[in-house]
Amino acid sequence: MFTTTGSRGLYKAPLSKGLLLVLNGLTVMLTLLPHYQEMFVYNLQAVTQQHQVWRFLLGRLVCLDVKDAFCSSLLIYNFRIFERRFGSRKYASFLLGTWCLSALMDFLLAQAFQFLFDYEVEELPAGLLAPVFSLFVPFYLLIPRMQVTQVLSHIHITNKSLVYIVGLQLLTSSPFMWLLALSGLISGGLYHSNVLWMQKLLFVPVWVSRIGRFILEPLFSSSQPTSETPLGMGATLDIQRQQRMDMLDQQLLLAQYNEARRNTRQQPQVGDNNRCRTLYLSIFTEYLILPLLMKYSEAIVCLRLPSQLMALNFLPTGSAVGGNGLFQD
């Protein structure tokens, strides 16, 4: 039920693979070495009173809670669809922009909560959580929703339901996780809408993408799976399945036509009138009806592609379709 594009796994998603390996590896190391966890605690009180600004960096990278690390890893794995669709550089630019904006939003929301309810927020859950929540903005706006089944004839289960359930589980894992979720959604909406030209201010430079392409890509790139049947070039798995169904319809149409033509040739010929009528019908079907049906079937394939494929410009620079390279230009 997870929304995917093309093949399963992390093929053509080196940045997502790097985030999963590095961040989860650091989480396991900090679990085994608990005396180092104090450096990665996201303590807002230490930032405001002791001026430990570095906690905005370390406290917002590695998850100290295993449950948060597991749920965020599931979401990062699912959101690799954006790296394949937009390219690694645009995907990294979105994460960088929302990560910087969410740091400011965390501080402002904490101060607003203290002003309204007279309660000081001392600590927030650590980890790359706000950028993960920010990815729900393009997920909601750009990924088409397709119904899978119904429960009790009223509850509709779609191809996006499981992703929202995992996000809800992550939201309820900590008392102040809602503050990070709200911060991430606001940051994602601002960056996606390009408010105050943020996409031109916060992005991954070209020279950084070239360094990542030559140094990091060989470490985190995945080979193309060979055990899968190609599904087409659709943006989502559902569109690719629809394309395959249209191709099967074309093949079935050709098979039915060839069978009817063989049956016509095997019929006994009684008189010149029947022979001429059969010949005219065969010529009319082969040169007029069949090309029109083929063009109509190809038009169905094009019309069934969602209009979201024409709106792949939510980030600043680079090509609209993801490539093989890390931080693709």
Side-chain angles (χ1 to χ4, degrees):
M1 199 175 297
F2 275 91
T3 306
T4 58
T5 67
S7 60
R8 294 182 295 271
L10 294 168
Y11 177 60
K12 289 187 178 181
L15 180 59
S16 300
K17 182 178 180 180
L19 290 176
L20 291 174
L21 293 178
V22 174
L23 298 182
N24 289 319
L26 291 175
T27 301
V28 174
M29 291 177 59
L30 292 176
T31 304
L32 299 177
L33 302 173
H35 52 280
Y36 289 105
Q37 291 185 2
E38 179 61 27
M39 298 177 57
F40 295 89
V41 174
Y42 191 13
N43 194 331
L44 290 179
Q45 187 178 13
V47 174
T48 56
Q49 297 181 3
Q50 304 176 13
H51 305 287
Q52 297 179 0
V53 186
W54 51 270
R55 291 192 180 273
F56 275 124
L57 176 63
L58 297 182
R60 304 177 67 250
L61 285 179
V62 184
C63 291
L64 300 180
D65 193 344
V66 179
K67 300 188 301 296
D68 297 344
F70 178 74
C71 293
S72 61
S73 298
L74 288 178
L75 293 175
I76 291 175
Y77 178 81
N78 178 75
F79 290 145
R80 76 196 188 282
I81 180 176
F82 297 113
E83 184 177 3
R84 290 176 174 174
R85 179 182 288 193
F86 301 106
S88 297
R89 185 190 173 201
K90 285 188 174 183
Y91 184 66
S93 298
F94 186 86
L95 292 179
L96 176 63
T98 54
W99 186 79
C100 296
L101 290 175
S102 60
L104 178 61
M105 291 298 169
D106 292 346
F107 180 77
L108 294 179
L109 290 175
Q111 295 299 320
F113 186 80
Q114 181 180 0
F115 176 77
L116 294 176
F117 301 99
D118 196 18
Y119 183 85
E120 183 180 3
V121 181
E122 297 181 359
E123 291 186 7
L124 290 175
L128 196 71
L129 299 174
V132 171
F133 280 111
S134 68
L135 288 170
F136 277 98
V137 176
F139 181 77
Y140 175 77
L141 296 176
L142 301 180
I143 303 302
R145 182 176 63 91
M146 301 187 66
Q147 182 176 341
V148 177
T149 184
Q150 289 185 357
V151 178
L152 301 177
S153 301
H154 296 287
I155 303 175
H156 298 279
I157 305 299
T158 66
N159 59 332
K160 302 167 68 174
S161 299
L162 186 58
V163 183
Y164 292 129
I165 293 175
V166 176
L168 183 62
Q169 173 63 34
L170 182 61
L171 179 64
T172 57
S173 62
S174 300
F176 285 100
M177 186 65 74
W178 65 267
L179 194 146
L180 293 178
L182 182 60
S183 173
L185 293 176
I186 294 175
S187 303
L190 292 176
Y191 195 85
H192 180 77
S193 303
N194 196 18
V195 177
L196 299 178
W197 302 279
M198 290 183 180
Q199 296 179 9
K200 295 183 179 179
L201 298 176
L202 301 173
F203 64 94
V204 175
V206 177
W207 62 271
V208 175
S209 67
R210 292 176 180 175
I211 294 176
R213 187 186 311 167
F214 290 107
I215 297 179
L216 299 179
E217 182 182 0
L219 298 176
F220 299 116
S221 60
S222 301
S223 60
Q224 182 177 4
T226 58
S227 60
E228 294 182 350
T229 304
L231 295 177
M233 295 300 294
T236 64
L237 186 62
D238 305 293
I239 299 174
Q240 295 163 11
R241 287 173 177 170
Q242 188 62 53
Q243 290 178 340
R244 174 183 285 181
M245 292 175 61
D246 293 333
M247 293 176 62
L248 293 176
D249 290 340
Q250 292 183 7
Q251 296 177 1
L252 180 61
L253 179 63
L254 289 174
Q256 291 177 351
Y257 167 73
N258 293 330
E259 183 67 21
R261 190 173 182 181
R262 284 194 297 267
N263 294 336
T264 302
R265 290 179 177 177
Q266 293 176 0
Q267 289 179 357
Q269 299 179 357
V270 284
D272 294 338
N273 293 333
N274 292 338
R275 187 185 311 165
C276 293
R277 188 181 299 108
T278 303
L279 179 61
Y280 292 153
L281 180 60
S282 177
I283 294 175
F284 180 77
T285 304
E286 181 175 0
Y287 292 100
L288 182 61
I289 300 300
L290 185 60
L292 291 177
L293 291 177
M294 293 296 294
K295 290 182 179 180
Y296 176 74
S297 180
E298 294 176 358
I300 292 177
V301 176
C302 297
L303 290 176
R304 282 176 176 171
L305 294 177
S307 59
Q308 285 82 357
L309 295 179
M310 304 301 297
L312 306 182
N313 56 354
F314 79 107
L315 288 169
T317 56
S319 60
V321 180
N324 294 327
L326 185 66
F327 305 132
Q328 190 76 16
D329 291 343

